[in-house]
Amino acid sequence: MANVKEITTMCKAGQVQTAYDIAKADFAAMPTNVWTQREVGWVLYYMIKNDSEVGNYPKLLEHIDELNSLDLLTFNNDSMIYDSVQFQIASFIKNHISLTDIEASSKLSTLFMKLKCYEFKSSKSHSFLLQTILKFVNWPEMADFFDWWNLGNLTQEDYTPYINQKGQKMMTLAERAYIANSKALLSQNDPMRIKEFLPKLDWLMNNYKEMMYPGYFYGKLLLALGSNRDDALKAIIPFARKKVTEFWVWQLLSDVFTNDEEKQLACLLRAVHSRAQENFLGKVHIKLANLYIKRGQLNSARFHIDAVTRCYASQGWRLPNEIDCWIHQPWFNSTTPDELVAINYKSITDAILCDGAEECIAVVTYVDQNAHKSFVIYGKEKRTVQKFRFKAQVGSIVKLHYVVDDAGRINVLNSTLAQLPSDLDYAKYVEGKIDKRDDKEFAFLKTRSFSCFVSPNIVRKYALKNGDNVKCLIVYDHDKKKNSWNWVCVNVEK
């Protein structure tokens, strides 16, 4: 009886058939001996390796079936054999199954059927198999493949980007895998599987924030759970509020408003005016060009077509079919690129984010000029600090749209200058007389019904004197020293 080392030495020396004959003879003599099965198993690996190298698909299947018939071999005890075979199957897929092969899907399905009886762990072979499969985006069993492959088996190396020969940073295998899994679930449109996958995608986004596209597909999957536009918005808006600066959020929302051209245009414009690199914005520019062509705004369309053309040329990419078609249209050369945006896309898209949000009137009570922060009262005994896009000053009246997070903090979605309503219980205009003692820097505003504190800053700013008749904006603010809420003066009109 030979041993495994002797068998593998013969195979490495090119004597595979001789090694196979010896191993099979030993196996015939002792079929219930695990070591004779291991002899056959290792010879079959070398046969599969040869099948993979020469592209002999029938023999490859024959030898895999024979390996699977060895009932005493287990993945736990003989993982080296199975992992090595997995690598050779991946090599066969990479080198001998092309996207143009009309039998590609059936071949992949057959090989998958042979493999899925094993539960592989993280390894270079397992990652290599994943890498070879990813190019077959239209394979019907892709979602089942991911369930079997298990994205938990991705190695740390799979999350590390690599640099190609041109010096370009390439997308990690992990990001490509999550995207492919998302696409497979979108094509199936299975709500239960989508709901099971979303927490995994959420984990990826939270732990690898530098990855650009997982969030986009997270949104697409959320949209797939909505049966109509309102349901889709309800699902996507809370997520979009957290990712408001990302271009793909607005690209995603543009898909929701396919029946509302104005909002769709606004979303795409906000996407293209984000801080994303141009090489991420090709599809957004193309959608914008298509919308402008439909609206007869050909100069605007030309601007976005040119943007795609420049970007793709700089990257050495082939122009998309739409662009290639448009640049050969009769109107193209008679147009002048026009970047001018005719709609207030920012206001339109801010309003979209505010859908379902809470609304309030806030009063600015103090402005930190160095930090550009404004302290505001936005409700009865409600105080917060915000940064506004516009220049705020003490006494500014601001309309806020906001949501409350799990910790009870408000997240302001939109803010605009406004007028003070007359029915607020935490801010109002009152008329009265200044009561100030000569030996004090502060004062009080006296009315018939109550007295209101006027800070030294307000006294100095408005040069207030005892007996002055004034109109004041007062708010119900918090006094840190006394740890109490009281009415205080914010600004004065003499």
Side-chain angles (χ1 to χ4, degrees):
M1 174 179 165
N3 58 45
V4 170
K5 184 176 181 180
E6 291 170 341
I7 292 295
T8 56
T9 299
M10 292 176 67
C11 290
K12 290 175 183 177
Q15 301 172 330
V16 177
Q17 187 59 50
T18 302
Y20 178 75
D21 293 339
I22 293 172
K24 288 291 283 184
D26 289 344
F27 174 61
M30 292 178 285
T32 59
N33 185 320
V34 68
W35 288 102
T36 63
Q37 291 202 16
R38 284 174 179 153
E39 290 178 40
V40 177
W42 275 109
V43 176
L44 288 170
Y45 158 69
Y46 281 98
M47 288 181 157
I48 290 169
K49 182 175 183 292
N50 181 69
D51 299 335
S52 174
E53 289 172 350
V54 301
N56 192 331
Y57 179 63
K59 282 293 183 182
L60 179 74
L61 297 182
E62 179 184 321
H63 292 139
I64 292 173
D65 285 340
E66 187 173 354
L67 175 64
N68 289 344
S69 71
L70 300 173
D71 59 341
L72 296 183
L73 300 188
T74 65
F75 183 80
N76 288 335
N77 294 329
D78 303 284
S79 59
M80 285 187 65
I81 295 177
Y82 293 109
D83 209 42
S84 299
V85 167
Q86 179 182 210
F87 185 89
Q88 295 306 325
I89 292 173
S91 295
F92 176 84
I93 295 170
K94 178 183 178 182
N95 298 318
H96 300 290
I97 303 181
S98 67
L99 292 173
T100 57
D101 186 348
I102 60 173
E103 295 183 341
S105 287
S106 65
K107 288 178 180 178
L108 291 176
S109 296
T110 300
L111 290 171
F112 179 40
M113 182 179 64
K114 310 289 184 188
L115 280 171
K116 65 183 179 182
C117 57
Y118 302 106
E119 190 174 331
F120 289 100
K121 305 298 181 184
S122 298
S123 69
K124 288 188 175 181
S125 296
H126 203 43
S127 294
F128 181 42
L129 176 66
L130 173 65
Q131 186 178 355
T132 62
I133 289 291
L134 288 183
K135 67 179 180 180
F136 298 97
V137 293
N138 296 320
W139 180 36
E141 292 189 65
M142 185 68 86
D144 295 329
F145 171 81
F146 276 111
D147 286 346
W148 167 80
W149 195 94
N150 184 2
L151 290 175
N153 283 326
L154 287 162
T155 67
Q156 192 55 49
E157 185 179 351
D158 296 332
Y159 287 94
T160 304
Y162 65 96
I163 309 298
N164 67 10
Q165 294 179 343
K166 295 181 179 179
Q168 298 168 318
K169 183 183 285 189
M170 307 302 292
M171 191 182 291
T172 65
L173 177 62
E175 185 172 5
R176 291 170 55 209
Y178 274 91
I179 290 172
N181 199 346
S182 300
K183 288 181 177 179
L185 293 176
L186 285 169
S187 67
Q188 284 196 341
N189 198 25
D190 183 334
M192 289 301 298
R193 295 179 83 165
I194 290 174
K195 288 178 181 177
E196 289 173 2
F197 181 65
L198 282 174
K200 300 176 184 177
L201 201 52
D202 186 59
W203 173 88
L204 183 75
M205 293 188 306
N206 290 330
N207 287 276
Y208 295 89
K209 298 182 186 298
E210 71 280 5
M211 293 184 179
M212 180 65 67
Y213 285 105
Y216 173 75
F217 284 97
Y218 186 93
K220 293 284 281 186
L221 289 166
L222 281 179
L223 289 180
L225 295 177
S227 58
N228 54 48
R229 193 184 81 172
D230 290 339
D231 288 343
L233 279 174
K234 187 176 180 180
I236 194 63
I237 286 294
F239 171 71
R241 288 168 180 162
K242 297 177 183 179
K243 302 290 183 179
V244 66
T245 60
E246 305 288 352
F247 83 92
W248 46 261
V249 163
W250 299 106
Q251 181 181 355
L252 181 64
L253 281 168
S254 74
D255 292 338
V256 180
F257 294 105
T258 52
N259 295 323
D260 190 330
E261 193 175 281
E262 193 81 354
K263 288 182 178 179
Q264 185 182 31
L265 179 62
C267 289
L268 291 170
L269 285 169
R270 185 147 181 180
V272 86
H273 285 95
S274 67
R275 297 180 180 179
Q277 298 176 30
E278 270 298 312
N279 56 331
F280 290 126
L281 296 174
K283 290 183 179 179
V284 180
H285 281 298
I286 291 171
K287 284 187 172 184
L288 277 167
N290 192 49
L291 269 180
Y292 279 127
I293 290 171
K294 285 172 61 179
R295 295 161 72 101
Q297 297 171 257
L298 300 182
N299 290 339
S300 297
R302 172 70 185 269
F303 172 81
H304 293 284
I305 293 169
D306 285 357
V308 177
T309 304
R310 284 193 304 272
C311 176
Y312 277 52
S314 68
Q315 298 293 327
W317 299 339
R318 186 180 67 83
L319 281 179
N321 292 333
E322 301 99 320
I323 299 294
D324 190 52
C325 177
W326 286 329
I327 63 178
H328 290 95
Q329 293 293 315
W331 57 263
F332 184 79
N333 290 324
S334 62
T335 55
T336 303
D338 185 0
E339 188 180 3
L340 182 65
V341 176
I343 66 170
N344 188 345
Y345 69 86
K346 187 67 168 56
S347 295
I348 295 171
T349 51
D350 280 347
I352 291 171
L353 287 180
C354 293
D355 184 60
E358 296 188 54
E359 180 182 312
C360 70
I361 293 293
V363 180
V364 177
T365 59
Y366 174 75
V367 177
D368 184 334
Q369 300 293 351
N370 294 323
H372 304 290
K373 291 181 178 179
S374 298
F375 292 73
V376 302
I377 299 297
Y378 68 99
K380 190 66 176 286
E381 299 188 1
K382 292 181 178 181
R383 197 168 188 262
T384 189
V385 181
Q386 289 295 319
K387 283 187 176 182
F388 296 120
R389 291 190 299 270
F390 51 83
K391 187 175 181 180
Q393 56 188 0
V394 174
S396 291
I397 311 299
V398 186
K399 179 183 283 188
L400 303 179
H401 287 90
Y402 67 94
V403 291
V404 181
D405 65 18
D406 294 336
R409 296 183 297 265
I410 71 167
N411 176 25
V412 173
L413 307 172
N414 190 33
S415 55
T416 54
L417 291 172
Q419 299 294 318
L420 187 72
S422 59
D423 59 348
L424 296 184
D425 60 356
Y426 55 90
K428 57 187 174 181
Y429 289 105
V430 297
E431 294 181 3
K433 184 174 288 188
I434 294 297
D435 180 12
K436 181 184 181 301
R437 290 171 48 177
D438 291 340
D439 61 336
K440 299 296 183 181
E441 293 185 341
F442 60 84
F444 288 92
L445 172 67
K446 297 287 187 176
T447 72
R448 291 183 178 181
S449 57
F450 70 97
S451 176
C452 176
F453 179 74
V454 182
S455 72
N457 287 336
I458 296 293
V459 171
R460 286 191 295 269
K461 181 177 179 180
Y462 295 97
L464 298 178
K465 301 185 296 296
N466 187 54
D468 283 344
N469 289 309
V470 295
K471 180 180 180 181
C472 296
L473 171 62
I474 64 172
V475 298
Y476 199 63
D477 201 357
H478 186 257
D479 186 330
K480 286 186 178 180
K481 292 182 180 179
K482 296 180 180 179
N483 192 27
S484 63
W485 290 83
N486 299 291
W487 287 101
V488 298
C489 178
V490 173
N491 63 18
V492 174
E493 296 178 15
K494 286 189 176 181

